[in-house]
Amino acid sequence: QVQLVESGGELVQPGGSLRLSCAVSEFTLDHYNIGWFRQAPGKEREGVICISSSDGTVYKADSVKGRFTISRNNAKNTVYLRMNVLNPEDTAVYYCAAEEGGWGCGLIRHSYDYWGQGTQVTVSS
C-alpha cells in the first residue's frame, strides 16, 4: 500500500529554520511528483512547493519564495522540505502528497492521489 510519512515538525522560534522529511513506500520518486501542502487552523489547505519526478523541476508558492526549498533523495525514497526564516504565519500542519509524475508539477490539491498524515510546525517565541 502506498504510504507517505512526514517527520521533523516541531516548535521553532521566528527567524529559525527547520527541515521536514517525507518518506515514501510502495512507489518510487521517479514516477511520482511530490508536493508539500499546509493547513493552518481555520484555513484551507494550501500548496507550498512541489518537485517533479522527471527532471526535478520545482514550483513554489509566492509566500515561500526565497525561504523554502525542496529536494529529493531517490535512493532513500525521501523528499525534504527545507524552511528558512520562519515566521508565525508559517505555523500549520504540513502534509506531503504524491501525484502521477510528469514534466513539471503543480499545487492543485485534487490532482494528488496519496497523502501523508501530516506533521505540526509551530513558529512562536
Side-chain angles (χ1 to χ4, degrees), residues 5-125:
V5 179
E6 305 94 335
S7 61
E10 61 181 60
L11 172 64
V12 62
Q13 291 191 339
S17 298
L18 205 56
R19 189 182 79 162
L20 306 182
S21 299
C22 173
V24 307
S25 60
E26 303 304 323
F27 69 90
T28 57
L29 293 177
D30 52 2
H31 290 109
Y32 283 84
N33 299 337
I34 300 296
W36 283 95
F37 292 76
R38 65 185 181 185
Q39 188 166 18
K43 293 189 176 181
E44 293 281 319
R45 190 172 299 188
E46 63 174 354
V48 175
I49 193 169
C50 62
I51 186 166
S52 73
S53 61
S54 58
D55 59 357
T57 299
V58 173
Y59 177 77
K60 60 181 77 173
D62 288 344
S63 59
V64 304
K65 285 181 179 177
R67 301 189 300 125
F68 288 15
T69 57
I70 188 172
S71 61
R72 65 186 187 191
N73 184 325
N74 285 12
K76 294 185 176 181
N77 246 15
T78 301
V79 174
Y80 303 99
L81 173 62
R82 177 70 181 182
M83 306 184 291
N84 296 322
V85 196
L86 286 162
N87 58 66
E89 289 69 41
D90 296 315
T91 295
V93 177
Y94 283 72
Y95 300 89
C96 63
E99 67 170 358
E100 188 171 333
W103 297 100
C105 64
L107 295 174
I108 300 174
R109 282 173 53 186
H110 68 253
S111 71
Y112 284 79
D113 300 310
Y114 305 103
W115 292 81
Q117 82 291 344
T119 185
Q120 176 70 48
V121 173
T122 303
V123 185
S124 174
S125 55

